[in-house]
Amino acid sequence: MNPATLYSHLTRARRDLLGTLRATPAGVLRLPLLRGERFHSILDLLIHTAEVEDGWIHGDFQGLPMVQDRFPDIQAGAAGPDTTLGLDAIEAYWQAVEADTRAYLHALTEADLERTVTLDDWPEGHRQFTLDGLIWHVLLHEVRHTAQIAALLRTQGVRPPQLDLLFYLPALETGRSAAPFVNPPPEDA
């Protein structure tokens, strides 16, 4: 599977996940469910995942300004830990990132994927990678955080959508959603 095909799966799964999140009470999305310095809530994980994609794909790989530069709230730091951004703002930003990422991935050639990318701000021994390897890193980063979000939803009594690739394989060929879901409201504790 090439990166553009996996990205198509991720964007379909992302839409299904966002559908579940829109039906989830905002208070649940903001709950400090995670300990640590950087991410405390589901919204923190969402904005982090979008920013990472933006930074790698647009900044590191293409040398372009990040998409977040067009989103003053995100650029101003509202996306930090305990984000003040709502789901609509995060979704709008991520859709803009997605549009640029999709165009970039579809334009890549085999020669592009074999290109060496040097990361000047990383430690010695972790500075040079193939573009292909780094793209896979970005895509798998989203998979990992999506799984975290799904697990966090379950801890709050919210049933996440089925996000496994297996359920999306037919949709990658037909273009139709292959993973309908039912998202019952959270049960009272």
Side-chain angles (χ1 to χ4, degrees):
M1 182 176 295
N2 65 43
T5 301
L6 180 60
Y7 192 72
S8 290
H9 157 65
L10 291 177
T11 58
R12 288 177 185 281
R14 185 184 301 163
R15 283 185 208 359
D16 287 343
L17 179 61
L18 288 168
T20 296
L21 296 177
R22 280 191 293 279
T24 301
V28 170
L29 301 179
R30 292 190 185 286
L31 275 176
L33 300 170
L34 298 169
R35 295 181 186 155
E37 296 176 21
R38 296 179 58 205
F39 316 117
H40 304 126
S41 70
I42 290 170
L43 290 178
D44 288 348
L45 286 172
L46 281 176
I47 192 65
H48 164 72
T49 305
E51 284 184 309
V52 166
E53 179 180 328
D54 189 6
W56 281 104
I57 301 289
H58 304 101
D60 293 317
F61 301 165
Q62 298 179 83
L64 299 173
M66 289 176 63
V67 172
Q68 75 174 222
D69 292 352
R70 302 189 309 250
F71 291 81
D73 287 347
I74 292 170
Q75 190 179 23
D82 302 317
T83 184
T84 58
L85 295 172
L87 185 59
D88 289 343
I90 295 169
E91 186 173 359
Y93 167 55
W94 211 346
Q95 287 174 345
V97 171
E98 179 183 310
D100 287 1
T101 298
R102 186 181 302 280
Y104 175 69
L105 292 177
H106 283 285
L108 289 174
T109 65
E110 284 298 319
D112 293 330
L113 292 171
E114 293 171 10
R115 170 175 71 91
T116 298
V117 176
T118 301
L119 307 171
D120 295 325
D121 56 346
W122 281 75
E124 194 63 45
H126 288 75
R127 290 190 181 162
Q128 292 193 322
F129 301 92
T130 63
L131 178 61
D132 185 57
L134 290 173
I135 288 172
W136 282 102
H137 163 71
V138 173
L139 300 179
L140 293 175
H141 176 266
E142 180 171 348
V143 170
R144 182 170 52 96
H145 284 311
T146 299
Q148 285 179 302
I149 291 167
L152 291 173
L153 286 170
R154 286 187 186 282
T155 69
Q156 300 307 301
V158 177
R159 182 179 171 195
Q162 179 53 258
L163 300 173
D164 288 336
L165 177 62
L166 178 64
F167 295 95
Y168 289 85
L169 288 175
L172 293 174
E173 295 178 3
T174 66
R176 292 187 353 256
S177 179
F181 62 92
V182 175
N183 184 30
E187 296 178 19
D188 292 330

